[in-house]
Amino acid sequence: MQFEPNDADLRITELARSAARDHLAPRAMQTDAGVFPAENIGALGSIGLLGIKIDRHYGGLGGSNLAYVLAIRELAAQCASTTVAVAVTNMVADMIARFGTDDQKVRHLRNLVSGAYQAGSFALSEPGAGSDAASLQTRAERRGDDWVLNGTKLWITSGDVAGVTLVMAKTDPGKGGRGITAFLVEPGTAGFSVGRHEEKLGLLGSSTVSLAFEDVVVPDAARIGAVGQGFEIAMTALDGGRCGIGAQASGMGYTALRETSRILSARAGQDKALGTDQNAQFRLADMAVRLDAAWLLVQRAAWLRDQGSKMTKEAAMAKVAASEAANFACQTAMQLAGPDAFDAGSTIARVWRDVRVSRIYEGTSEIQRLVIARSLAAAL
Ligand code: CAA
């Protein structure tokens, strides 16, 4: 297993690092005040970072999954709110590239990747269907050449600003997961509306909304994949998405580690080894060990996806390990840095709030463990 980044991966990583430094970092506090980071999105779109794996023909970077996680980690180290919108946009673009028709690619990919659409959104979760995604209730019924959608989606990242939303709906309620079909729905379609804006603990610059579908008519040309293939598309998206959330969490975790080391070194009078404070030394070391171990799992999962291997279990491992390591790191940073971290405007306070949801969204830590355990059982 060789997941050493190649030159192309490193170029994309450097592109993300400099964009994060030049655009995301200076606006991180403003974004955290609840302002959707439209300027950041525009800047990232102009250099291809909204379509890291998308073919250059559509304005993407044609990069690998490994490059994707490396880039997401760089962005998240400076602004996790921007990064979640970027990650979901990349995920929707990937699904169009994988499962879309030529017409769908032409219609949406350039707009998504350039930032003209501002974002893409992924509408799977519902009021009664979060972890048990296959039990979703949104209906799509065939009427001639069209489909009519009815239902409600909840906790949808960028749902109010997205130029296209990937919507999973039941087309055959008797068939469970096999009765779900995916559609590309555009804003302005009659009957499609944005509902409640969630007020959250963290990721304050990213918008999270409910979406309502009331007799929304879309043509069959808006269906992506085959009838009944929607759950597979959603799960394929989440295999890649979970690598992205692992990378996002890692970015925040390493920021917490760096920031705590900086604060403690300053307190110890520039003594980089943190003097004789063994409590701080041991705890910083634990943060570094857990973050590095998890980050290796994230890179392994991305690399396996690049090889075309099934990597559902490895994506789940990467996501649970990285989100929990990063939460541990941010929690420990808060304790070690104390008043410097508890200041509401501090970087540690921001990542401490922002990182919490990484154990919840794109499948809770418990769902990841379920996926891992099922794979272990299947391998017996
Ligand atoms: N890739 C391809 N196909 C897959 C798959 C995968 N990774 N996982 C499952 N499938 C297929 C199975 O092969 C099976 O196909 P058949 O019916 O043909 O045999 C079908 O899907 C059903 O699979 P399961 O029996 O495993 O499905 P399940 O109902 O038991 O549930 C689950 C699986 C893993 C628990 C799933 O419900 C799940 O992932 N839940 C969590 C949902 C989630 O992560 N939501 C995130 C919302 S998006 C979000 O948060 C984004 C954001 O805004 C930041």
Side-chain angles (χ1 to χ4, degrees):
M1 202 170 293
Q2 277 196 316
F3 42 83
E4 197 60 30
N6 62 26
D7 287 350
D9 299 329
L10 291 174
R11 269 197 301 278
I12 292 173
T13 311
E14 185 46 42
L15 192 66
R17 185 178 300 137
S18 52
R21 184 193 57 224
D22 297 345
H23 300 287
L24 275 53
R27 297 190 194 110
M29 297 310 287
Q30 175 193 334
T31 306
D32 190 46
V35 180
F36 182 80
E39 286 173 74
N40 288 345
I41 300 288
L44 299 178
S46 71
I47 55 174
L49 286 167
L50 299 181
I52 294 170
K53 292 176 269 173
I54 302 302
D55 201 285
R56 288 178 181 281
H57 173 70
Y58 296 109
L61 297 176
S64 64
N65 287 278
L66 185 57
Y68 176 69
V69 294
L70 286 158
I72 290 291
R73 185 177 72 146
E74 294 296 336
L75 298 178
Q78 302 298 347
C79 179
S81 284
T82 301
T83 312
V84 68
V86 170
V88 176
T89 303
N90 269 280
M91 180 164 88
V92 171
D94 276 356
M95 290 309 103
I96 296 174
R98 272 184 195 237
F99 293 100
T101 61
D102 287 346
D103 284 350
Q104 288 168 340
K105 290 178 195 170
V106 168
R107 187 174 178 88
H108 298 297
L109 280 182
R110 250 176 223 291
N111 287 324
L112 270 172
V113 171
S114 66
Y117 270 177
Q118 195 138 243
S121 69
F122 179 77
L124 176 67
S125 305
E126 297 186 359
S131 286
D132 182 10
S135 70
L136 63 86
Q137 297 294 314
T138 295
R139 283 281 277 130
E141 290 172 281
R142 188 92 202 216
R143 190 197 289 161
D145 289 338
D146 297 327
W147 293 89
V148 184
L149 274 62
N150 278 288
T152 305
K153 296 288 180 180
L154 210 53
W155 310 299
I156 308 304
T157 300
S158 308
D160 55 337
V161 292
V164 67
T165 297
L166 178 60
V167 182
M168 267 54 68
K170 280 255 163 79
T171 43
D172 192 341
K175 284 195 179 164
R178 290 185 191 189
I180 294 172
T181 302
F183 298 88
L184 295 168
V185 181
E186 297 173 34
T189 309
F192 176 35
S193 62
V194 175
R196 192 174 76 216
H197 284 66
E198 302 297 342
E199 291 192 14
K200 310 190 297 281
L201 173 72
L203 296 182
L204 302 180
S206 99
S207 67
T208 309
V209 299
S210 65
L211 297 175
F213 299 82
E214 290 175 62
D215 291 328
V216 174
V217 178
V218 295
D220 192 45
R223 168 173 55 81
I224 175 163
V227 174
Q229 201 185 4
F231 197 66
E232 180 197 331
I233 294 175
M235 293 296 120
T236 305
L238 288 171
D239 283 347
R242 288 168 183 167
C243 297
I245 298 302
Q248 185 205 28
S250 296
M252 286 184 267
Y254 282 112
T255 291
L257 176 60
R258 259 194 311 275
E259 195 59 14
T260 311
S261 303
R262 191 186 61 73
I263 290 168
L264 297 189
S265 292
R267 272 190 213 155
Q270 300 310 316
D271 180 348
K272 292 278 189 295
L274 301 175
T276 53
D277 183 351
Q278 247 186 16
N279 175 51
Q281 288 174 330
F282 288 0
R283 297 179 84 176
L284 287 169
D286 283 346
M287 288 160 77
V289 169
R290 292 202 200 184
L291 288 170
D292 274 12
W295 176 235
L296 286 169
L297 289 178
V298 174
Q299 292 175 90
R300 178 183 70 166
W303 179 83
L304 283 170
R305 198 161 167 92
D306 283 327
Q307 310 312 304
S309 306
K310 174 103 178 123
M311 39 66 80
T312 299
K313 178 186 73 180
E314 288 79 5
M317 287 178 161
K319 203 247 179 199
V320 69
S323 61
E324 297 203 349
N327 269 271
F328 169 79
C330 293
Q331 187 76 6
T332 308
M334 178 64 77
Q335 195 64 22
L336 286 176
D340 290 304
F342 197 63
D343 182 308
S346 78
T347 298
I348 293 176
R350 176 161 52 82
V351 292
W352 183 84
R353 284 185 285 104
D354 287 352
V355 81
R356 184 61 181 85
V357 74
S358 61
R359 290 175 57 202
I360 300 171
Y361 65 13
E362 297 214 12
T364 61
S365 289
E366 292 70 25
I367 286 294
Q368 309 310 325
R369 290 186 171 96
L370 181 80
V371 170
I372 295 163
R374 281 184 181 180
S375 294
L376 297 175
L380 289 177

